[in-house]
């Protein structure tokens, strides 16, 4: 044996015989699938997890983060509400136990021959959908000074769209100076827009905040972008102690030319608490918000939006008449650093009758126990700044006719696998 495999091969074989979990055989494939998209050189993640040598020093921290389900970033409560999402990146219980076993047994490397081929990353990895058709950036970088108060600016860009197109997927994010770009919202402005004072930024398109992924609409649903539409970028810029040039990009994937999707999708902020009032040094402060669906609707996604004191966020459906209440989704360990869109699978997208009330419940921790709390002695109200609070969620949906609603409910029967609160 020794002559054939050498000493390390022999150790590896012994390890396998004992059923030992090794980096090369068991852990590296999980890191490739679930971690390396972010944890590799030159990204916004703090360290690379490509090789054994890079990963080994982080073993303890990795165990802690995966056990707490803080990494990979995916914070949907696994015990209540809908559990099937198109973009679920969470680890399975088995994967977590593999990582934990590996760390607990001293984080061995194992046989180098077991190491999977390195995963390749290319530019398209930067977007959370395949091949954008159009990428719109700011014509020039915004210079964020070293020190100043936060700024909110609007930049209007003409992407030169000569035909009407329907959007299939959309994502916006900083491409330069990302640490200084706290937040971006994009909207569409068109010369035909009604000239009302409430609509200065145009029709809401999409939003970015740290950790945000893409909005991908289901087949058959899209949003119209008319020829001649301009994109308004609203940026929230936050000085970082050194002068930082910042730029952002909006990536769009369209339906093929001439294709009109059947359903027109809307993304709306549900339950925004303008009346929010969070006392100093207090935990578990709750705020409720309500929106009524004017027509039958199919819900596509859920993206809670709270700030530093945000602790948890849930959305339930109160059916017309109030006889039935269904918990749809909860993020029970809300992390301000991660603004994730949770995209329901087709079979789980809630089908809700007209008159259903979407009930948003937000919880806040304004105590010193919240490590993200900049100042527990402050009374906190609603506001745009990170040190103020927000509440509620961005929810995407499309309306259905009564007939379509009936058909879709019928087609759904027996398919929906889980909604524990039902
Ligand atoms: C979407 C990008 C992304 C993915 C996927 C991701 N991470 Fe992270 N990770 C980050 C970022 C950004 C941070 C630093 C900010 C934070 O902690 O939220 C981080 C922090 C960490 C930390 C803490 C580092 C420290 O400074 O203490 C560990 C450990 C970690 N990640 C492990 C993992 C593991 C293991 C996986 C896969 C199972 C994973 N991450 C997947 C982006 C990601």
């Amino acid at each position: 044996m020794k002559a054939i495999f050498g000493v390390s091969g022999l150790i590896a074989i012994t390890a396998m015989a004992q059923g030992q979990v090794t980096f090369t055989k068991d852990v590296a494939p999980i890191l490739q699938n679930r971690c390396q998209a972010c944890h590799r050189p030159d990204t916004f993640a703090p360290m690379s997890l490509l090789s054994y040598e890079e990963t080994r020093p982080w073993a303890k921290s990795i165990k802690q983060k995966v056990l707490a389900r803080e990494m990979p970033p995916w914070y949907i409560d696994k015990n209540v509400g809908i559990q099937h999402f198109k973009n679920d990146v969470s680890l399975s219980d088995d994967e977590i136990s593999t990582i934990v076993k590996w760390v607990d047994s001293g984080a061995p490397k194992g046989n180098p021959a077991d190491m999977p081929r390195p995963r390749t990353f290319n530019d398209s990895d930067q977007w959370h959908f395949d091949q954008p058709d159009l990428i719109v950036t700011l014509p020039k970088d915004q210079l964020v000074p070293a020190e100043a108060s936060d700024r909110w600016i609007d930049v209007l860009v003409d992407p030169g769209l000569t035909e009407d197109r329907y959007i299939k997927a959309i994502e916006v994010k900083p491409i330069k100076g990302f640490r200084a770009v706290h937040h971006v919202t994009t909207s569409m402005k068109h010369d035909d827009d009604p000239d009302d004072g409430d609509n200065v930024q145009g029709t809401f398109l999409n939003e970015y905040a740290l950790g945000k992924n893409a909005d991908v609409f289901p087949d058959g649903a899209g949003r119209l972008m008319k020829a001649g539409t301009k994109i308004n970028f609203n940026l929230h810029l936050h000085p970082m102690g050194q002068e930082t040039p910042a730029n952002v990009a909006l990536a769009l994937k369209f339906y093929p030319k001439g294709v009109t999707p059947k359903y027109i999708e809307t993304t709306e902020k549900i339950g925004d608490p303008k009346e929010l009032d969070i006392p100093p040094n207090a935990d578990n402060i709750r705020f409720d918000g309500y929106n009524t669906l004017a027509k039958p609707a199919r819900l596509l996604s859920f993206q809670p939006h709270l700030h530093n004191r945000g602790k948890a966020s849930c959305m339930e459906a109160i059916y017309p008449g109030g006889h039935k209440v269904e918990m749809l989704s909860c993020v029970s360990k809300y992390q301000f650093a991660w603004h994730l869109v949770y995209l329901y699978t087709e079979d789980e997208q809630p089908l809700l009758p007209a008159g259903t009330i979407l009930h948003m419940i937000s919880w806040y921790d304004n105590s010193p126990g919240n490590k993200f709390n900049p100042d527990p002695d402050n009374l906190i109200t609603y506001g745009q700044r990170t040190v103020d609070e927000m509440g509620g969620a961005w929810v995407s949906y499309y309306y259905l006719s009564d007939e379509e609603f009936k058909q879709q409910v019928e087609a759904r029967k027996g398919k929906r696998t889980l909604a524990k609160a039902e």
Side-chain angles (χ1 to χ4, degrees), residues 34-35 38-39 44-47 58 61-62 65 71-73 338:
R34 295 294 187 210
C35 318
C38 301
H39 288 280
F44 63 123
M47 72 286 192
W58 294 95
S61 171
I62 290 173
K65 291 280 180 188
M71 280 287 145
W338 295 102

Side-chain angles (χ1 to χ4, degrees), residues 27 30-39 43-47 49 55 58-66 70-73 75 89-91 99 128 178-179 210-212 335 337-338 340 372:
V27 175
I30 303 176
L31 302 186
Q32 284 194 349
N33 279 338
R34 295 294 187 210
C35 318
Q36 292 176 2
C38 301
H39 288 280
T43 68
F44 63 123
M47 72 286 192
L49 297 177
T55 308
W58 294 95
K60 279 219 172 77
S61 171
I62 290 173
K63 172 182 165 182
Q64 196 193 335
K65 291 280 180 188
V66 300
E70 285 174 11
M71 280 287 145
Y75 303 110
V89 293
S90 63
L91 297 176
I99 292 174
H128 289 84
F178 80 91
R179 287 175 198 278
L210 183 65
K212 165 93 185 232
Q335 307 260 332
W338 295 102
L340 302 175
F372 303 108

Side-chain angles (χ1 to χ4, degrees), residues 230-385:
K230 297 191 183 71
I231 306 293
N232 187 75
F233 290 89
N234 179 265
L235 312 180
H236 174 180
L237 301 171
H238 180 71
M240 296 303 296
Q242 65 193 59
E243 200 175 66
T244 313
N247 206 329
V248 300
L250 170 75
L252 294 156
K253 171 117 195 132
F254 294 121
Y255 279 91
K257 281 186 188 168
V259 171
T260 305
K262 194 166 172 198
Y263 303 111
I264 302 307
E265 188 272 354
T266 308
T267 301
E268 196 180 19
K269 190 82 168 284
I270 303 277
D272 216 359
K274 299 273 191 309
E275 319 267 288
L276 199 59
D277 188 7
I278 306 172
N281 290 295
D283 191 6
N284 291 321
I285 304 303
R286 171 172 167 163
F287 194 90
D288 296 74
Y290 304 87
N291 274 57
T292 304
L293 292 170
K295 295 181 189 169
R298 185 168 185 120
L299 258 53
L300 309 175
S301 68
F302 170 63
Q303 182 200 339
H305 185 89
L306 314 173
H307 285 175
N308 286 320
R309 276 107 175 158
K311 180 171 188 173
S313 168
C314 292
M315 173 171 68
E316 63 181 21
I318 304 172
Y319 284 74
H323 303 303
K324 180 176 162 188
V325 177
E326 182 185 357
M327 182 56 78
L328 300 175
S329 286
C330 275
V331 163
S332 43
K333 273 209 267 178
Y334 182 78
Q335 307 260 332
F336 179 58
W338 295 102
H339 295 259
L340 302 175
V341 188
Y342 299 95
L343 298 169
Y344 300 121
T345 58
E346 308 287 323
D347 285 349
E348 302 283 327
Q349 291 161 356
L351 286 167
L352 301 171
T356 299
I357 297 168
L358 290 178
H359 177 198
M360 291 299 319
I361 313 159
S362 313
W363 284 270
Y364 303 88
D365 180 358
N366 193 17
S367 77
N370 174 0
K371 66 178 175 188
F372 303 108
N373 192 348
D375 182 2
D377 293 330
N378 261 338
L379 169 81
I380 304 303
T381 52
Y382 175 86
Q384 293 281 341
R385 298 175 310 165

